[in-house]
C-alpha cells in the first residue's frame, strides 16, 4: 500500500491483477518442447480439455491411457471417446451446467409462484420441473437431436408431481408406459 493510495484502491488494483492473470482464470498448459508446432496440442492437453468440457473434472486414468496411446489426435477416435465420455455419469456435470446456463434453470430456485394461482406448488414440484428440463436436455444431447426439439418434442419426461400439475392421469400414463414397454419387448423377442 502506497502512502498516496487508500485501502479500497489498493484492493481493486490487486484484484485486477489477479483476475487478468491467465494463471488465475485459465488452466495454463506448458509448451511441449518436443512438438514441431507449438500451436498443436499434445494428447494429454486434448484429454484435459475434453475432461474439463464434458465432465467439469480432470481426466481420469482411463482418459489419460487413451491419450498415452495417441488416440486423441485422430478425429474419429476422439469422437468415439467423447461419446463414451458422454455416456458416463461424469457427463451429467456438462448437462447440468449447460442446462443451468442456457435454460436458466438455476433461476427456478428463486421463483416464488403465487400460491393463490398455483395452490399445489411445492418444493417437490420445483425439483420435478428442474429434473424434467435436465433429463430432456440430456436426452437431446445424447441423441444429438436438434435443440428446437426441446420445445417441439412429442414426448415429455414427467413424474407423478408433474403429472398432477399438468393434469395428466398418472395411472393411465403408467399403464401406457407399461404397454409400450411390453410391446417393445414383444417386438424384440426372437
Amino acid at each position: 500500500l502506497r502512502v498516496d493510495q487508500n485501502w479500497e484502491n489498493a484492493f481493486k488494483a490487486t484484484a485486477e491483477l489477479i483476475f487478468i492473470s491467465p494463471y488465475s482464470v485459465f488452466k495454463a498448459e506448458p509448451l511441449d518442447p518436443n512438438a514441431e508446432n507449438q500451436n498443436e496440442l499434445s494428447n494429454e492437453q486434448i484429454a484435459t480439455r475434453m475432461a474439463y468440457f464434458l465432465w467439469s473434472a480432470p481426466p481420469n486414468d482411463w482418459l489419460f491411457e487413451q491419450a498415452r496411446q495417441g488416440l486423441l489426435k485422430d478425429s474419429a477416435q476422439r469422437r468415439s471417446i467423447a461419446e463414451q465420455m458422454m455416456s458416463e455419469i461424469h457427463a451429467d456435470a456438462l448437462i447440468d451446467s449447460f442446462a443451468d446456463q442456457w435454460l436458466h434453470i438455476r433461476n427456478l430456485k428463486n421463483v416464488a409462484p403465487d400460491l393463490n394461482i398455483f395452490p399445489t406448488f411445492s418444493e417437490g414440484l420445483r425439483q420435478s420441473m428442474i429434473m424434467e428440463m435436465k433429463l430432456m436436455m440430456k436426452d437431446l444431447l445424447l441423441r444429438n437431436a436438434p435443440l428446437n426439439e426441446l420445445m417441439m418434442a412429442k414426448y415429455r419426461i414427467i413424474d407423478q408431481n408433474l403429472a398432477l400439475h399438468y393434469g395428466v392421469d398418472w395411472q393411465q400414463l403408467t399403464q401406457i408406459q407399461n404397454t409400450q414397454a411390453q410391446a417393445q419387448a414383444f417386438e424384440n423377442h426372437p
Side-chain angles (χ1 to χ4, degrees), residues 41-57:
L41 297 175
S42 70
N43 280 295
E44 289 76 15
Q45 290 170 325
I46 294 170
T48 299
R49 289 176 185 212
M50 289 175 71
Y52 279 108
F53 178 72
L54 296 175
W55 293 340
S56 297

Side-chain angles (χ1 to χ4, degrees), residues 36-167:
E36 291 178 25
N37 179 355
Q38 288 297 326
N39 293 327
E40 184 179 339
L41 297 175
S42 70
N43 280 295
E44 289 76 15
Q45 290 170 325
I46 294 170
T48 299
R49 289 176 185 212
M50 289 175 71
Y52 279 108
F53 178 72
L54 296 175
W55 293 340
S56 297
N60 61 13
D61 292 340
W62 171 81
L63 188 55
F64 271 134
E65 181 57 31
Q66 307 304 303
R68 278 190 284 281
Q69 292 178 20
L71 301 176
L72 300 178
K73 293 279 185 169
D74 178 72
S75 62
Q77 289 178 326
R78 189 172 51 248
R79 180 182 199 83
S80 175
I81 290 167
E83 287 171 1
Q84 288 177 312
M85 292 171 70
M86 284 297 296
S87 69
E88 292 190 21
I89 191 77
H90 301 357
D92 286 346
L94 168 70
I95 292 159
D96 288 348
S97 176
F98 186 77
D100 278 350
Q101 292 176 35
W102 193 74
L103 298 175
H104 300 282
I105 289 176
R106 63 177 163 253
N107 295 345
L108 280 178
K109 297 170 187 157
N110 301 323
V111 172
D114 185 339
L115 294 179
N116 293 318
I117 299 172
F118 301 104
T120 61
F121 187 83
S122 66
E123 191 56 37
L125 179 59
R126 180 191 317 269
Q127 294 308 313
S128 293
M129 291 174 161
I130 291 170
M131 189 55 61
E132 175 191 24
M133 287 188 272
K134 287 184 177 184
L135 289 174
M136 289 286 292
M137 182 61 69
K138 182 175 186 175
D139 179 61
L140 293 175
L141 289 173
L142 291 177
R143 289 187 301 111
N144 198 25
L147 285 178
N148 69 350
E149 190 176 311
L150 189 63
M151 302 306 281
M152 310 297 278
K154 297 194 182 343
Y155 68 95
R156 288 286 175 242
I157 299 173
I158 64 173
D159 63 6
Q160 196 165 2
N161 286 335
L162 289 168
L164 179 65
H165 181 72
Y166 294 152

Side-chain angles (χ1 to χ4, degrees), residues 177-189:
Q177 288 175 334
N178 288 339
T179 304
Q180 287 174 338
Q182 290 169 0
Q184 187 175 15
F186 182 75
E187 288 172 10
N188 295 335
H189 193 276

